[in-house]
Each structure stands twice: as structure tokens, then as C-alpha cells.
């Protein structure tokens, strides 16, 4: 599995209703995309997200079953359209160490993401075991609808990502101080 995300930072005075309307009108288009486990249409704003974001962003997050689905998307019309609308983004991707996706994932309304540097010469096997154990525990929290932990050995980072039923479920679980929080406009999840 591969986790993937790109991020569009939008001007401080950008009308985020444009992003929300785009998600509402186009989000369903990937509901049955081959190889996609889920796509969370994420956005955050300086005025809307709870807690507020430092920037206005549109930052979809994907979980793919293999590189073929990811490549088909990136080389296809959908990615061409979004890059024409918002610009040519850097596409971050991580090898997944553990994921849990609940059958109710489409009802997610809030997301959290942490990107954590991996210290040089870390005991990667032990780190992986600890991250997988933590992700399994997190997947059992009320309101957690998808949980994953993944690894990028190029930039030496971990990503911890969770989709929540709502903001209160995430806050009850305890939001990490360094988490980026997002509102979820739609979740495409074939077969869910």
C-alpha cells in the first residue's frame, strides 16, 4: 500500500467556499477508481477548521492498494484537472506500515495528520513495531474511521493519519500539538 498527499496553499483571503463547492460537485468522480482504498478530500482554513489552520489549504489524502492505481491517477485526467485548477504540486508519498479502514469511512468529517522526522541511525525495526502498535491502538478509539502510519525513506519521515467521525471524537482522543487538522468534504472509498 502507498499513502499519498499533495497540498495547495491558498491565499489568506481565498474564498474557501470555492474548494468546498468543487469537492461537492467533483468528489464522487473517484468513488470507484481502480486501486483506490480511499481518497479523503481535505481542506483547512484560517477561519473554519477547529482548531483553525495556519493557512488555507486544499490537501487531498489517498490510500492506494499499489503503485499502479496511484500512477493511473497521476497520469490521468483527474490529476491534470486539479493541477490546472490549483497548480503543479509536489506529491508526497509514503510506504504504509499499517492501515485500518472502517466500513463507515465515508462518514468521516475530520482528519488529523502528523509528519514526524526520523532521526538518523534510528532502529527502524523497533520504530516500525512501535508505530504499528500505536496505530492499532488508535484504530480502536471511538470515532476513528481510518488510521494509518507510513514511512518515507527519502526524506526520513513518518506520517500518522486518522480520519474521524467528527471533531469532537478527535478532541476526545487528544489532538497532538503538531497535528495538522482538516475538515473532510467527501471520502471516496470504492466498495465501502
Amino acid at each position: 500500500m502507498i499513502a499519498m498527499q499533495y497540498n495547495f496553499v491558498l491565499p489568506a483571503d481565498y474564498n474557501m467556499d470555492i474548494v468546498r463547492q468543487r469537492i461537492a460537485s467533483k468528489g464522487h468522480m473517484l468513488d470507484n477508481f481502480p486501486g483506490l482504498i480511499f481518497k479523503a478530500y481535505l481542506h483547512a482554513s484560517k477561519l473554519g477548521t477547529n482548531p483553525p489552520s495556519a493557512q488555507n489549504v486544499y490537501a487531498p489524502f489517498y490510500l492506494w492498494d499499489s503503485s499502479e492505481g496511484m500512477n493511473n491517477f497521476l497520469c490521468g485526467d483527474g490529476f491534470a484537472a486539479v493541477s490546472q485548477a490549483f497548480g503543479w504540486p509536489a506529491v508526497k508519498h509514503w510506504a504504509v506500515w499499517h492501515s485500518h479502514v472502517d466500513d463507515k469511512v465515508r462518514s468521516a468529517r475530520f482528519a488529523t495528520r502528523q509528519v514526524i522526522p526520523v532521526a538518523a541511525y534510528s532502529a527502524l525495526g523497533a520504530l516500525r513495531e512501535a508505530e504499528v502498535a500505536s496505530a492499532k491502538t488508535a484504530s480502536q478509539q471511538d470515532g476513528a474511521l481510518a488510521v494509518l502510519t507510513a514511512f518515507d525513506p527519502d526524506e526520513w519521515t513518518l506520517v500518522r493519519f486518522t480520519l474521524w467521525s467528527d471533531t469532537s471524537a478527535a478532541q476526545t482522543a487528544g489532538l497532538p500539538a503538531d497535528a495538522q487538522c482538516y475538515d473532510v468534504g467527501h471520502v471516496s472509498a470504492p466498495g465501502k
Side-chain angles (χ1 to χ4, degrees):
M1 282 187 278
I2 299 170
M4 179 183 99
Q5 185 176 37
Y6 45 88
N7 189 51
F8 298 104
V9 177
L10 303 167
D13 62 350
Y14 191 82
N15 181 355
M16 292 300 287
D17 283 339
I18 295 168
V19 172
R20 287 186 278 277
Q21 289 167 1
R22 183 179 178 89
I23 292 168
S25 68
K26 298 185 183 296
H28 70 281
M29 296 171 88
L30 287 186
D31 284 355
N32 295 301
F33 196 90
L36 181 66
I37 297 172
F38 72 76
K39 174 184 180 180
Y41 292 79
L42 308 177
H43 57 91
S45 69
K46 296 179 75 152
L47 301 176
T49 310
N50 183 16
S53 177
Q55 300 173 312
N56 290 333
V57 296
Y58 172 53
F61 193 98
Y62 302 74
L63 181 60
W64 299 100
D65 67 5
S66 70
S67 61
E68 184 173 347
M70 179 181 78
N71 287 327
N72 288 339
F73 172 75
L74 290 173
C75 296
D77 293 340
F79 184 72
V82 78
S83 60
Q84 289 297 316
F86 294 105
W88 189 256
V91 179
K92 301 283 188 190
H93 54 286
W94 301 268
V96 175
W97 279 349
H98 177 80
S99 71
H100 169 79
V101 181
D102 189 274
D103 288 339
K104 298 176 187 168
V105 70
R106 284 184 180 211
S107 64
R109 296 295 170 253
F110 189 72
T112 55
R113 187 211 64 200
Q114 292 175 275
V115 177
I116 302 157
V118 175
Y121 307 104
S122 293
L124 295 175
L127 178 62
R128 181 180 181 187
E129 284 182 23
E131 286 296 313
V132 168
S134 178
K136 286 180 178 179
T137 298
S139 69
Q140 297 171 2
Q141 294 175 332
D142 283 344
L145 300 175
V147 176
L148 70 85
T149 185
F151 169 67
D152 174 1
D154 178 41
E155 293 190 3
W156 293 106
T157 58
L158 298 171
V159 65
R160 295 176 185 151
F161 181 79
T162 306
L163 286 171
W164 300 93
S165 57
D166 56 36
T167 308
S168 62
Q171 290 173 336
T172 298
L175 292 176
D178 60 347
Q180 170 67 53
C181 299
Y182 302 98
D183 290 318
V184 179
H186 179 77
V187 177
S188 289
K192 297 287 179 192

